[in-house]
Amino acid sequence: ERGEIEKAAFVLAELLNANEEAVSFLERHGRLKLAAEIAEARKLAPGLVVRQWFLAGDHQRAVRFARMTGAFGDAVVRLERSHAEAARSLRLLWASSLADSGSYAAAVDTVWPIVEARGLGLAWLERAIMVGGPTAARMLVKKVRLAPECFDEVLLAVEAQLDQDDAGAALA
C-alpha cells in the first residue's frame, strides 16, 4: 500500500502537475514528511509549506521557513481550518519570534486571539507601552482588558500620554 500511495502522489505531481492535490493526498495518508518535501520542492505557497513542515513535526524548519518568507499568518490560517491545536502552537511560536525581534506590539497582537495565552504577552505588552505614541495607546487598552485591576494605573498613563502629545503639539 505504501508504494501505491507514493505512486499515486507521483502521478498527481509529475504527470498531472497537480502539486497541491499531491500534497493533500499524501497528508490524508499520513505521509507528512513527503508532503512537506514536495510542497517545498514544488515552490508551493509559503504558508502551505510552513503548514506541512509543522504537521510533519519539523517545527524548527517550519519556523525558519516562515521567518524567511514571512508566511506565519498564512500558515496559521491554513492550520486553523483543520488543526486548531497545531495552529495555536504555531501562533505562539510566531508571537515569540516577533518579540525576539523587538516587535512587541505585533507579538501581543499575534498572541491575543488565544485568550488563555494573553498572560504570556504581558511582558511584551509592557515593552510595547514603553515605545509610546499610538502603539502605547493601543497596548494600554489591551492592558485594561487583560488586567482590569490596572485601570487606575492605565488611566494615569493615558493622561500622561495625552499631556505629552499636547506639549508636543504646542511646540510644533
Side-chain angles (χ1 to χ4, degrees), residues 25-63:
F25 177 79
L26 288 166
E27 181 184 327
R28 279 194 312 276
H29 288 88
R31 305 297 195 279
L32 301 177
K33 185 175 184 224
L34 183 57
E37 289 170 345
I38 289 175
E40 187 172 348
R42 298 294 176 133
K43 297 184 181 352
L44 298 183
L48 177 61
V49 174
V50 172
R51 176 189 185 280
Q52 294 309 132
W53 281 120
F54 204 80
L55 290 177
D58 195 337
H59 296 179
Q60 282 185 326
R61 189 166 183 169
V63 168

PDB file of all heavy atoms in Angstrom, residues 25-63:
ATOM      1  N   PHE A  25      -3.154  14.722  -0.781  1.00  0.00           N
ATOM      2  CA  PHE A  25      -3.301  13.267  -0.827  1.00  0.00           C
ATOM      3  C   PHE A  25      -2.316  12.598   0.138  1.00  0.00           C
ATOM      4  O   PHE A  25      -2.682  11.714   0.918  1.00  0.00           O
ATOM      5  CB  PHE A  25      -3.079  12.789  -2.268  1.00  0.00           C
ATOM      6  CG  PHE A  25      -3.138  11.309  -2.442  1.00  0.00           C
ATOM      7  CD1 PHE A  25      -4.364  10.651  -2.508  1.00  0.00           C
ATOM      8  CD2 PHE A  25      -1.968  10.556  -2.549  1.00  0.00           C
ATOM      9  CE1 PHE A  25      -4.422   9.275  -2.673  1.00  0.00           C
ATOM     10  CE2 PHE A  25      -2.024   9.185  -2.711  1.00  0.00           C
ATOM     11  CZ  PHE A  25      -3.257   8.545  -2.771  1.00  0.00           C
ATOM     12  N   LEU A  26      -1.066  13.031   0.088  1.00  0.00           N
ATOM     13  CA  LEU A  26      -0.052  12.462   0.979  1.00  0.00           C
ATOM     14  C   LEU A  26      -0.379  12.746   2.442  1.00  0.00           C
ATOM     15  O   LEU A  26      -0.217  11.876   3.302  1.00  0.00           O
ATOM     16  CB  LEU A  26       1.333  13.003   0.627  1.00  0.00           C
ATOM     17  CG  LEU A  26       1.916  12.461  -0.676  1.00  0.00           C
ATOM     18  CD1 LEU A  26       3.109  13.288  -1.127  1.00  0.00           C
ATOM     19  CD2 LEU A  26       2.287  10.983  -0.525  1.00  0.00           C
ATOM     20  N   GLU A  27      -0.852  13.941   2.715  1.00  0.00           N
ATOM     21  CA  GLU A  27      -1.232  14.290   4.093  1.00  0.00           C
ATOM     22  C   GLU A  27      -2.352  13.372   4.581  1.00  0.00           C
ATOM     23  O   GLU A  27      -2.294  12.847   5.699  1.00  0.00           O
ATOM     24  CB  GLU A  27      -1.660  15.752   4.175  1.00  0.00           C
ATOM     25  CG  GLU A  27      -2.043  16.174   5.580  1.00  0.00           C
ATOM     26  CD  GLU A  27      -2.553  17.583   5.673  1.00  0.00           C
ATOM     27  OE1 GLU A  27      -2.099  18.455   4.904  1.00  0.00           O
ATOM     28  OE2 GLU A  27      -3.428  17.826   6.528  1.00  0.00           O
ATOM     29  N   ARG A  28      -3.377  13.193   3.756  1.00  0.00           N
ATOM     30  CA  ARG A  28      -4.505  12.329   4.140  1.00  0.00           C
ATOM     31  C   ARG A  28      -4.061  10.907   4.447  1.00  0.00           C
ATOM     32  O   ARG A  28      -4.672  10.219   5.244  1.00  0.00           O
ATOM     33  CB  ARG A  28      -5.562  12.305   3.034  1.00  0.00           C
ATOM     34  CG  ARG A  28      -6.485  13.486   3.035  1.00  0.00           C
ATOM     35  CD  ARG A  28      -7.714  13.269   2.156  1.00  0.00           C
ATOM     36  NE  ARG A  28      -7.458  12.751   0.825  1.00  0.00           N
ATOM     37  CZ  ARG A  28      -7.114  13.483  -0.229  1.00  0.00           C
ATOM     38  NH1 ARG A  28      -6.997  14.796  -0.101  1.00  0.00           N
ATOM     39  NH2 ARG A  28      -6.922  12.935  -1.411  1.00  0.00           N
ATOM     40  N   HIS A  29      -2.980  10.489   3.816  1.00  0.00           N
ATOM     41  CA  HIS A  29      -2.488   9.130   4.017  1.00  0.00           C
ATOM     42  C   HIS A  29      -1.314   9.069   4.995  1.00  0.00           C
ATOM     43  O   HIS A  29      -0.605   8.054   5.053  1.00  0.00           O
ATOM     44  CB  HIS A  29      -2.126   8.488   2.672  1.00  0.00           C
ATOM     45  CG  HIS A  29      -3.340   8.154   1.867  1.00  0.00           C
ATOM     46  ND1 HIS A  29      -3.931   9.057   1.013  1.00  0.00           N
ATOM     47  CD2 HIS A  29      -4.112   7.036   1.844  1.00  0.00           C
ATOM     48  CE1 HIS A  29      -4.994   8.494   0.475  1.00  0.00           C
ATOM     49  NE2 HIS A  29      -5.135   7.270   0.964  1.00  0.00           N
ATOM     50  N   GLY A  30      -1.122  10.142   5.738  1.00  0.00           N
ATOM     51  CA  GLY A  30      -0.109  10.130   6.795  1.00  0.00           C
ATOM     52  C   GLY A  30       1.322  10.235   6.339  1.00  0.00           C
ATOM     53  O   GLY A  30       2.240  10.027   7.125  1.00  0.00           O
ATOM     54  N   ARG A  31       1.547  10.590   5.091  1.00  0.00           N
ATOM     55  CA  ARG A  31       2.914  10.755   4.567  1.00  0.00           C
ATOM     56  C   ARG A  31       3.297  12.234   4.706  1.00  0.00           C
ATOM     57  O   ARG A  31       3.484  12.945   3.713  1.00  0.00           O
ATOM     58  CB  ARG A  31       3.020  10.306   3.123  1.00  0.00           C
ATOM     59  CG  ARG A  31       2.557   8.903   2.822  1.00  0.00           C
ATOM     60  CD  ARG A  31       3.423   7.856   3.552  1.00  0.00           C
ATOM     61  NE  ARG A  31       3.230   6.528   3.016  1.00  0.00           N
ATOM     62  CZ  ARG A  31       2.213   5.732   3.324  1.00  0.00           C
ATOM     63  NH1 ARG A  31       1.272   6.132   4.138  1.00  0.00           N
ATOM     64  NH2 ARG A  31       2.134   4.513   2.807  1.00  0.00           N
ATOM     65  N   LEU A  32       3.372  12.692   5.944  1.00  0.00           N
ATOM     66  CA  LEU A  32       3.505  14.122   6.223  1.00  0.00           C
ATOM     67  C   LEU A  32       4.855  14.692   5.792  1.00  0.00           C
ATOM     68  O   LEU A  32       4.908  15.790   5.240  1.00  0.00           O
ATOM     69  CB  LEU A  32       3.251  14.377   7.707  1.00  0.00           C
ATOM     70  CG  LEU A  32       1.875  13.933   8.209  1.00  0.00           C
ATOM     71  CD1 LEU A  32       1.753  14.156   9.708  1.00  0.00           C
ATOM     72  CD2 LEU A  32       0.762  14.642   7.455  1.00  0.00           C
ATOM     73  N   LYS A  33       5.925  13.961   6.037  1.00  0.00           N
ATOM     74  CA  LYS A  33       7.243  14.475   5.655  1.00  0.00           C
ATOM     75  C   LYS A  33       7.355  14.586   4.137  1.00  0.00           C
ATOM     76  O   LYS A  33       7.833  15.597   3.615  1.00  0.00           O
ATOM     77  CB  LYS A  33       8.352  13.593   6.215  1.00  0.00           C
ATOM     78  CG  LYS A  33       9.735  14.153   5.940  1.00  0.00           C
ATOM     79  CD  LYS A  33      10.836  13.343   6.585  1.00  0.00           C
ATOM     80  CE  LYS A  33      12.152  14.040   6.325  1.00  0.00           C
ATOM     81  NZ  LYS A  33      13.201  13.139   5.943  1.00  0.00           N
ATOM     82  N   LEU A  34       6.903  13.573   3.437  1.00  0.00           N
ATOM     83  CA  LEU A  34       6.948  13.601   1.973  1.00  0.00           C
ATOM     84  C   LEU A  34       6.072  14.735   1.432  1.00  0.00           C
ATOM     85  O   LEU A  34       6.462  15.440   0.493  1.00  0.00           O
ATOM     86  CB  LEU A  34       6.515  12.250   1.396  1.00  0.00           C
ATOM     87  CG  LEU A  34       6.573  12.116  -0.124  1.00  0.00           C
ATOM     88  CD1 LEU A  34       7.980  12.403  -0.656  1.00  0.00           C
ATOM     89  CD2 LEU A  34       6.114  10.711  -0.547  1.00  0.00           C
ATOM     90  N   ALA A  35       4.927  14.942   2.060  1.00  0.00           N
ATOM     91  CA  ALA A  35       4.049  16.051   1.642  1.00  0.00           C
ATOM     92  C   ALA A  35       4.775  17.387   1.803  1.00  0.00           C
ATOM     93  O   ALA A  35       4.721  18.238   0.907  1.00  0.00           O
ATOM     94  CB  ALA A  35       2.761  16.035   2.468  1.00  0.00           C
ATOM     95  N   ALA A  36       5.476  17.558   2.915  1.00  0.00           N
ATOM     96  CA  ALA A  36       6.213  18.801   3.150  1.00  0.00           C
ATOM     97  C   ALA A  36       7.350  18.961   2.146  1.00  0.00           C
ATOM     98  O   ALA A  36       7.578  20.056   1.614  1.00  0.00           O
ATOM     99  CB  ALA A  36       6.747  18.826   4.580  1.00  0.00           C
ATOM    100  N   GLU A  37       8.058  17.878   1.895  1.00  0.00           N
ATOM    101  CA  GLU A  37       9.168  17.935   0.938  1.00  0.00           C
ATOM    102  C   GLU A  37       8.678  18.344  -0.445  1.00  0.00           C
ATOM    103  O   GLU A  37       9.298  19.167  -1.127  1.00  0.00           O
ATOM    104  CB  GLU A  37       9.880  16.579   0.877  1.00  0.00           C
ATOM    105  CG  GLU A  37      10.668  16.266   2.126  1.00  0.00           C
ATOM    106  CD  GLU A  37      11.168  14.831   2.183  1.00  0.00           C
ATOM    107  OE1 GLU A  37      10.682  13.972   1.399  1.00  0.00           O
ATOM    108  OE2 GLU A  37      12.045  14.557   3.031  1.00  0.00           O
ATOM    109  N   ILE A  38       7.562  17.767  -0.873  1.00  0.00           N
ATOM    110  CA  ILE A  38       7.012  18.099  -2.193  1.00  0.00           C
ATOM    111  C   ILE A  38       6.530  19.547  -2.219  1.00  0.00           C
ATOM    112  O   ILE A  38       6.783  20.276  -3.186  1.00  0.00           O
ATOM    113  CB  ILE A  38       5.885  17.115  -2.586  1.00  0.00           C
ATOM    114  CG1 ILE A  38       6.499  15.754  -2.904  1.00  0.00           C
ATOM    115  CG2 ILE A  38       5.075  17.650  -3.765  1.00  0.00           C
ATOM    116  CD1 ILE A  38       5.496  14.666  -3.187  1.00  0.00           C
ATOM    117  N   ALA A  39       5.849  19.971  -1.151  1.00  0.00           N
ATOM    118  CA  ALA A  39       5.362  21.365  -1.098  1.00  0.00           C
ATOM    119  C   ALA A  39       6.519  22.342  -1.246  1.00  0.00           C
ATOM    120  O   ALA A  39       6.423  23.328  -1.983  1.00  0.00           O
ATOM    121  CB  ALA A  39       4.606  21.605   0.206  1.00  0.00           C
ATOM    122  N   GLU A  40       7.615  22.060  -0.559  1.00  0.00           N
ATOM    123  CA  GLU A  40       8.766  22.970  -0.637  1.00  0.00           C
ATOM    124  C   GLU A  40       9.474  22.864  -1.988  1.00  0.00           C
ATOM    125  O   GLU A  40       9.791  23.884  -2.610  1.00  0.00           O
ATOM    126  CB  GLU A  40       9.745  22.675   0.498  1.00  0.00           C
ATOM    127  CG  GLU A  40      10.866  23.698   0.570  1.00  0.00           C
ATOM    128  CD  GLU A  40      11.741  23.549   1.797  1.00  0.00           C
ATOM    129  OE1 GLU A  40      11.392  22.804   2.732  1.00  0.00           O
ATOM    130  OE2 GLU A  40      12.797  24.213   1.815  1.00  0.00           O
ATOM    131  N   ALA A  41       9.692  21.645  -2.458  1.00  0.00           N
ATOM    132  CA  ALA A  41      10.408  21.444  -3.726  1.00  0.00           C
ATOM    133  C   ALA A  41       9.646  22.040  -4.903  1.00  0.00           C
ATOM    134  O   ALA A  41      10.253  22.563  -5.843  1.00  0.00           O
ATOM    135  CB  ALA A  41      10.659  19.959  -3.951  1.00  0.00           C
ATOM    136  N   ARG A  42       8.321  21.970  -4.853  1.00  0.00           N
ATOM    137  CA  ARG A  42       7.495  22.490  -5.948  1.00  0.00           C
ATOM    138  C   ARG A  42       7.192  23.976  -5.801  1.00  0.00           C
ATOM    139  O   ARG A  42       6.412  24.536  -6.566  1.00  0.00           O
ATOM    140  CB  ARG A  42       6.177  21.702  -6.041  1.00  0.00           C
ATOM    141  CG  ARG A  42       6.356  20.235  -6.354  1.00  0.00           C
ATOM    142  CD  ARG A  42       6.923  20.074  -7.750  1.00  0.00           C
ATOM    143  NE  ARG A  42       7.210  18.686  -8.057  1.00  0.00           N
ATOM    144  CZ  ARG A  42       6.851  18.105  -9.169  1.00  0.00           C
ATOM    145  NH1 ARG A  42       6.184  18.753 -10.082  1.00  0.00           N
ATOM    146  NH2 ARG A  42       7.179  16.843  -9.372  1.00  0.00           N
ATOM    147  N   LYS A  43       7.800  24.582  -4.766  1.00  0.00           N
ATOM    148  CA  LYS A  43       7.645  26.024  -4.516  1.00  0.00           C
ATOM    149  C   LYS A  43       6.173  26.433  -4.416  1.00  0.00           C
ATOM    150  O   LYS A  43       5.737  27.421  -5.019  1.00  0.00           O
ATOM    151  CB  LYS A  43       8.366  26.839  -5.578  1.00  0.00           C
ATOM    152  CG  LYS A  43       9.871  26.615  -5.567  1.00  0.00           C
ATOM    153  CD  LYS A  43      10.586  27.502  -6.544  1.00  0.00           C
ATOM    154  CE  LYS A  43      12.070  27.344  -6.636  1.00  0.00           C
ATOM    155  NZ  LYS A  43      12.819  26.548  -5.754  1.00  0.00           N
ATOM    156  N   LEU A  44       5.428  25.638  -3.644  1.00  0.00           N
ATOM    157  CA  LEU A  44       4.027  25.981  -3.398  1.00  0.00           C
ATOM    158  C   LEU A  44       3.978  27.170  -2.448  1.00  0.00           C
ATOM    159  O   LEU A  44       5.007  27.633  -1.965  1.00  0.00           O
ATOM    160  CB  LEU A  44       3.286  24.765  -2.840  1.00  0.00           C
ATOM    161  CG  LEU A  44       3.233  23.551  -3.785  1.00  0.00           C
ATOM    162  CD1 LEU A  44       2.410  22.435  -3.171  1.00  0.00           C
ATOM    163  CD2 LEU A  44       2.676  23.932  -5.157  1.00  0.00           C
ATOM    164  N   ALA A  45       2.793  27.682  -2.192  1.00  0.00           N
ATOM    165  CA  ALA A  45       2.630  28.861  -1.345  1.00  0.00           C
ATOM    166  C   ALA A  45       3.399  28.670  -0.039  1.00  0.00           C
ATOM    167  O   ALA A  45       3.287  27.611   0.598  1.00  0.00           O
ATOM    168  CB  ALA A  45       1.150  29.091  -1.054  1.00  0.00           C
ATOM    169  N   PRO A  46       4.187  29.665   0.365  1.00  0.00           N
ATOM    170  CA  PRO A  46       4.984  29.532   1.589  1.00  0.00           C
ATOM    171  C   PRO A  46       4.166  29.133   2.824  1.00  0.00           C
ATOM    172  O   PRO A  46       4.624  28.327   3.631  1.00  0.00           O
ATOM    173  CB  PRO A  46       5.608  30.921   1.757  1.00  0.00           C
ATOM    174  CG  PRO A  46       5.701  31.456   0.367  1.00  0.00           C
ATOM    175  CD  PRO A  46       4.458  30.934  -0.323  1.00  0.00           C
ATOM    176  N   GLY A  47       2.951  29.660   2.943  1.00  0.00           N
ATOM    177  CA  GLY A  47       2.110  29.281   4.079  1.00  0.00           C
ATOM    178  C   GLY A  47       1.777  27.801   4.071  1.00  0.00           C
ATOM    179  O   GLY A  47       1.702  27.159   5.133  1.00  0.00           O
ATOM    180  N   LEU A  48       1.598  27.238   2.885  1.00  0.00           N
ATOM    181  CA  LEU A  48       1.330  25.805   2.765  1.00  0.00           C
ATOM    182  C   LEU A  48       2.578  25.005   3.148  1.00  0.00           C
ATOM    183  O   LEU A  48       2.491  23.993   3.845  1.00  0.00           O
ATOM    184  CB  LEU A  48       0.888  25.452   1.340  1.00  0.00           C
ATOM    185  CG  LEU A  48       0.639  23.969   1.064  1.00  0.00           C
ATOM    186  CD1 LEU A  48      -0.476  23.429   1.947  1.00  0.00           C
ATOM    187  CD2 LEU A  48       0.308  23.753  -0.406  1.00  0.00           C
ATOM    188  N   VAL A  49       3.741  25.462   2.712  1.00  0.00           N
ATOM    189  CA  VAL A  49       4.997  24.780   3.047  1.00  0.00           C
ATOM    190  C   VAL A  49       5.197  24.779   4.568  1.00  0.00           C
ATOM    191  O   VAL A  49       5.502  23.735   5.163  1.00  0.00           O
ATOM    192  CB  VAL A  49       6.194  25.435   2.331  1.00  0.00           C
ATOM    193  CG1 VAL A  49       7.512  24.825   2.792  1.00  0.00           C
ATOM    194  CG2 VAL A  49       6.049  25.327   0.815  1.00  0.00           C
ATOM    195  N   VAL A  50       4.999  25.928   5.192  1.00  0.00           N
ATOM    196  CA  VAL A  50       5.148  26.026   6.649  1.00  0.00           C
ATOM    197  C   VAL A  50       4.169  25.081   7.333  1.00  0.00           C
ATOM    198  O   VAL A  50       4.524  24.350   8.256  1.00  0.00           O
ATOM    199  CB  VAL A  50       4.938  27.476   7.137  1.00  0.00           C
ATOM    200  CG1 VAL A  50       4.895  27.546   8.652  1.00  0.00           C
ATOM    201  CG2 VAL A  50       6.024  28.385   6.581  1.00  0.00           C
ATOM    202  N   ARG A  51       2.924  25.102   6.873  1.00  0.00           N
ATOM    203  CA  ARG A  51       1.895  24.222   7.443  1.00  0.00           C
ATOM    204  C   ARG A  51       2.326  22.763   7.365  1.00  0.00           C
ATOM    205  O   ARG A  51       2.216  22.012   8.328  1.00  0.00           O
ATOM    206  CB  ARG A  51       0.578  24.422   6.682  1.00  0.00           C
ATOM    207  CG  ARG A  51      -0.546  23.501   7.126  1.00  0.00           C
ATOM    208  CD  ARG A  51      -1.746  23.621   6.163  1.00  0.00           C
ATOM    209  NE  ARG A  51      -2.872  22.843   6.622  1.00  0.00           N
ATOM    210  CZ  ARG A  51      -2.999  21.526   6.446  1.00  0.00           C
ATOM    211  NH1 ARG A  51      -2.061  20.856   5.804  1.00  0.00           N
ATOM    212  NH2 ARG A  51      -4.064  20.893   6.900  1.00  0.00           N
ATOM    213  N   GLN A  52       2.833  22.361   6.208  1.00  0.00           N
ATOM    214  CA  GLN A  52       3.200  20.959   6.017  1.00  0.00           C
ATOM    215  C   GLN A  52       4.376  20.567   6.912  1.00  0.00           C
ATOM    216  O   GLN A  52       4.368  19.491   7.508  1.00  0.00           O
ATOM    217  CB  GLN A  52       3.509  20.683   4.549  1.00  0.00           C
ATOM    218  CG  GLN A  52       2.314  20.818   3.623  1.00  0.00           C
ATOM    219  CD  GLN A  52       1.089  20.044   4.057  1.00  0.00           C
ATOM    220  OE1 GLN A  52      -0.019  20.562   4.079  1.00  0.00           O
ATOM    221  NE2 GLN A  52       1.259  18.796   4.432  1.00  0.00           N
ATOM    222  N   TRP A  53       5.393  21.423   7.007  1.00  0.00           N
ATOM    223  CA  TRP A  53       6.531  21.090   7.873  1.00  0.00           C
ATOM    224  C   TRP A  53       6.082  21.041   9.334  1.00  0.00           C
ATOM    225  O   TRP A  53       6.545  20.198  10.101  1.00  0.00           O
ATOM    226  CB  TRP A  53       7.680  22.073   7.691  1.00  0.00           C
ATOM    227  CG  TRP A  53       8.494  21.783   6.469  1.00  0.00           C
ATOM    228  CD1 TRP A  53       8.710  22.600   5.392  1.00  0.00           C
ATOM    229  CD2 TRP A  53       9.203  20.567   6.177  1.00  0.00           C
ATOM    230  NE1 TRP A  53       9.488  21.968   4.463  1.00  0.00           N
ATOM    231  CE2 TRP A  53       9.816  20.715   4.922  1.00  0.00           C
ATOM    232  CE3 TRP A  53       9.369  19.365   6.863  1.00  0.00           C
ATOM    233  CZ2 TRP A  53      10.587  19.722   4.340  1.00  0.00           C
ATOM    234  CZ3 TRP A  53      10.142  18.364   6.289  1.00  0.00           C
ATOM    235  CH2 TRP A  53      10.740  18.549   5.031  1.00  0.00           C
ATOM    236  N   PHE A  54       5.167  21.915   9.705  1.00  0.00           N
ATOM    237  CA  PHE A  54       4.674  21.914  11.085  1.00  0.00           C
ATOM    238  C   PHE A  54       3.925  20.615  11.369  1.00  0.00           C
ATOM    239  O   PHE A  54       4.146  19.975  12.395  1.00  0.00           O
ATOM    240  CB  PHE A  54       3.794  23.143  11.335  1.00  0.00           C
ATOM    241  CG  PHE A  54       3.731  23.512  12.785  1.00  0.00           C
ATOM    242  CD1 PHE A  54       4.766  24.220  13.377  1.00  0.00           C
ATOM    243  CD2 PHE A  54       2.650  23.151  13.560  1.00  0.00           C
ATOM    244  CE1 PHE A  54       4.723  24.554  14.718  1.00  0.00           C
ATOM    245  CE2 PHE A  54       2.599  23.477  14.911  1.00  0.00           C
ATOM    246  CZ  PHE A  54       3.645  24.180  15.494  1.00  0.00           C
ATOM    247  N   LEU A  55       3.063  20.215  10.452  1.00  0.00           N
ATOM    248  CA  LEU A  55       2.320  18.964  10.629  1.00  0.00           C
ATOM    249  C   LEU A  55       3.248  17.750  10.616  1.00  0.00           C
ATOM    250  O   LEU A  55       2.988  16.755  11.296  1.00  0.00           O
ATOM    251  CB  LEU A  55       1.247  18.816   9.551  1.00  0.00           C
ATOM    252  CG  LEU A  55       0.064  19.759   9.654  1.00  0.00           C
ATOM    253  CD1 LEU A  55      -0.885  19.552   8.482  1.00  0.00           C
ATOM    254  CD2 LEU A  55      -0.666  19.587  10.987  1.00  0.00           C
ATOM    255  N   ALA A  56       4.332  17.843   9.851  1.00  0.00           N
ATOM    256  CA  ALA A  56       5.295  16.742   9.782  1.00  0.00           C
ATOM    257  C   ALA A  56       6.131  16.651  11.059  1.00  0.00           C
ATOM    258  O   ALA A  56       6.906  15.707  11.223  1.00  0.00           O
ATOM    259  CB  ALA A  56       6.191  16.911   8.562  1.00  0.00           C
ATOM    260  N   GLY A  57       5.975  17.636  11.940  1.00  0.00           N
ATOM    261  CA  GLY A  57       6.691  17.603  13.211  1.00  0.00           C
ATOM    262  C   GLY A  57       8.037  18.289  13.189  1.00  0.00           C
ATOM    263  O   GLY A  57       8.742  18.307  14.195  1.00  0.00           O
ATOM    264  N   ASP A  58       8.422  18.869  12.061  1.00  0.00           N
ATOM    265  CA  ASP A  58       9.693  19.593  11.985  1.00  0.00           C
ATOM    266  C   ASP A  58       9.408  21.076  12.236  1.00  0.00           C
ATOM    267  O   ASP A  58       9.394  21.894  11.306  1.00  0.00           O
ATOM    268  CB  ASP A  58      10.355  19.365  10.626  1.00  0.00           C
ATOM    269  CG  ASP A  58      11.822  19.781  10.617  1.00  0.00           C
ATOM    270  OD1 ASP A  58      12.212  20.615  11.472  1.00  0.00           O
ATOM    271  OD2 ASP A  58      12.574  19.290   9.750  1.00  0.00           O
ATOM    272  N   HIS A  59       9.162  21.400  13.485  1.00  0.00           N
ATOM    273  CA  HIS A  59       8.757  22.756  13.854  1.00  0.00           C
ATOM    274  C   HIS A  59       9.868  23.766  13.601  1.00  0.00           C
ATOM    275  O   HIS A  59       9.583  24.898  13.191  1.00  0.00           O
ATOM    276  CB  HIS A  59       8.307  22.796  15.309  1.00  0.00           C
ATOM    277  CG  HIS A  59       7.083  21.964  15.550  1.00  0.00           C
ATOM    278  ND1 HIS A  59       6.516  21.825  16.779  1.00  0.00           N
ATOM    279  CD2 HIS A  59       6.322  21.212  14.711  1.00  0.00           C
ATOM    280  CE1 HIS A  59       5.449  21.039  16.698  1.00  0.00           C
ATOM    281  NE2 HIS A  59       5.330  20.648  15.444  1.00  0.00           N
ATOM    282  N   GLN A  60      11.113  23.365  13.827  1.00  0.00           N
ATOM    283  CA  GLN A  60      12.228  24.283  13.565  1.00  0.00           C
ATOM    284  C   GLN A  60      12.283  24.679  12.096  1.00  0.00           C
ATOM    285  O   GLN A  60      12.453  25.848  11.772  1.00  0.00           O
ATOM    286  CB  GLN A  60      13.560  23.654  13.969  1.00  0.00           C
ATOM    287  CG  GLN A  60      13.814  23.673  15.460  1.00  0.00           C
ATOM    288  CD  GLN A  60      15.195  23.162  15.784  1.00  0.00           C
ATOM    289  OE1 GLN A  60      15.726  22.274  15.110  1.00  0.00           O
ATOM    290  NE2 GLN A  60      15.797  23.712  16.825  1.00  0.00           N
ATOM    291  N   ARG A  61      12.134  23.710  11.238  1.00  0.00           N
ATOM    292  CA  ARG A  61      12.171  24.003   9.795  1.00  0.00           C
ATOM    293  C   ARG A  61      10.982  24.871   9.403  1.00  0.00           C
ATOM    294  O   ARG A  61      11.108  25.794   8.601  1.00  0.00           O
ATOM    295  CB  ARG A  61      12.181  22.701   8.995  1.00  0.00           C
ATOM    296  CG  ARG A  61      12.443  22.919   7.530  1.00  0.00           C
ATOM    297  CD  ARG A  61      12.778  21.625   6.853  1.00  0.00           C
ATOM    298  NE  ARG A  61      13.103  21.833   5.451  1.00  0.00           N
ATOM    299  CZ  ARG A  61      13.637  20.903   4.692  1.00  0.00           C
ATOM    300  NH1 ARG A  61      13.932  19.719   5.188  1.00  0.00           N
ATOM    301  NH2 ARG A  61      13.900  21.152   3.427  1.00  0.00           N
ATOM    302  N   ALA A  62       9.813  24.576   9.988  1.00  0.00           N
ATOM    303  CA  ALA A  62       8.622  25.364   9.689  1.00  0.00           C
ATOM    304  C   ALA A  62       8.824  26.814  10.113  1.00  0.00           C
ATOM    305  O   ALA A  62       8.530  27.732   9.336  1.00  0.00           O
ATOM    306  CB  ALA A  62       7.406  24.774  10.412  1.00  0.00           C
ATOM    307  N   VAL A  63       9.349  27.030  11.303  1.00  0.00           N
ATOM    308  CA  VAL A  63       9.556  28.393  11.803  1.00  0.00           C
ATOM    309  C   VAL A  63      10.626  29.105  10.981  1.00  0.00           C
ATOM    310  O   VAL A  63      10.471  30.274  10.619  1.00  0.00           O
ATOM    311  CB  VAL A  63       9.913  28.374  13.309  1.00  0.00           C
ATOM    312  CG1 VAL A  63      10.421  29.733  13.781  1.00  0.00           C
ATOM    313  CG2 VAL A  63       8.690  27.950  14.125  1.00  0.00           C
TER     314      VAL A  63
END
